[in-house]
Amino acid sequence: MTEQPLSGTNPVAPPFFHEASGTVRFWVQIDGHPMGASIGREVLHYRYHSNAQDDDPLETYTQHVEQMEAAVRRRVAQGSVEPVMLRENDLPRS
């Protein structure tokens, strides 16, 4: 099986939208190890596209991947364990 890059650096799997849970699931390299994380469709919508209709959660994640990865790193530094579920207050305000 060929490993695929995730978020530009992590050879686990590409980020994807998990329909059953309504989350984008992704991995972030932390100290050389992949850390699983997710963020809900609603969080992405209300944080980045609150006035839009039919916005795509995976596309929104991709547009803001650096913020998502930084938020996961902050949460892990504060003691969160895998999987890290990002919430709206984990993301910076514009």
Side-chain angles (χ1 to χ4, degrees):
M1 178 177 188
T2 303
E3 294 180 338
Q4 297 176 351
L6 173 66
S7 302
T9 59
N10 187 7
V12 174
F16 67 96
F17 183 71
H18 184 255
E19 190 70 43
S21 66
T23 62
V24 172
R25 296 186 178 183
F26 59 101
W27 292 261
V28 177
Q29 282 279 34
I30 298 178
D31 297 328
H33 301 285
M35 174 68 65
S38 62
I39 186 164
R41 167 186 19 224
E42 291 82 8
V43 172
L44 289 165
H45 172 76
Y46 289 113
R47 173 62 183 84
Y48 296 106
H49 298 291
S50 61
N51 295 323
Q53 292 183 357
D54 298 326
D55 47 312
D56 180 278
L58 189 55
E59 183 178 318
T60 301
Y61 164 83
T62 301
Q63 292 169 349
H64 303 282
V65 66
E66 295 84 12
Q67 291 179 12
M68 306 298 149
E69 290 183 353
V72 170
R73 288 188 176 93
R74 281 192 303 275
R75 291 279 305 278
V76 169
Q78 295 168 353
S80 291
V81 296
E82 187 175 31
V84 176
M85 178 68 170
L86 295 181
R87 298 177 195 94
E88 190 169 358
N89 64 354
D90 294 320
L91 303 173
R93 292 282 167 206
S94 300

